[in-house]
Amino acid sequence: MTGTELALVLAVVKTLVLVVGGVITYFALKAYRRTRQPALGYLASGFGIVTLGFVLAGVLHEILGVELVMGVLLESLLVLAGFLVIAYSLYVQ
């Protein structure tokens, strides 16, 4: 595969991650609004943060001109934060 083809595949995959992550976040938020269970609110927040993190590196690099390494670092930090919030949502009663 050429670099252009790989970039296109990456864009498609990141778009799918954004769509699926957005749907999961939406359903978790909808469940939280229906039940008012704090754990579901944290779960929705965690999935939203993870989804944002997965998409962030490419956006920062392609649109804002941020170095790719810095974008990947910020992406990883957001994914880590999201996973910590999801883990906390499983702990909260």
Side-chain angles (χ1 to χ4, degrees):
M1 274 190 170
T2 66
T4 304
E5 291 169 331
L6 283 174
L8 180 61
V9 170
L10 181 60
V12 168
V13 170
K14 289 288 189 174
T15 301
L16 290 172
V17 167
L18 179 62
V19 170
V20 173
V23 168
I24 292 170
T25 302
Y26 169 76
F27 283 127
L29 185 59
K30 190 174 170 182
Y32 167 71
R33 287 182 180 158
R34 187 176 60 248
T35 65
R36 293 294 178 196
Q37 292 292 321
L40 288 173
Y42 288 119
L43 186 67
S45 299
F47 275 116
I49 293 168
V50 168
T51 302
L52 175 66
F54 277 128
V55 176
L56 188 65
V59 170
L60 289 175
H61 179 67
E62 293 296 326
I63 296 175
L64 300 177
V66 173
E67 286 187 42
L68 187 58
V69 173
M70 180 59 73
V72 171
L73 174 62
L74 292 173
E75 171 187 30
S76 298
L77 288 171
L78 278 175
V79 169
L80 173 63
F83 282 150
L84 288 171
V85 173
I86 290 170
Y88 183 73
S89 79
L90 299 172
Y91 176 76
V92 180
Q93 301 266 327

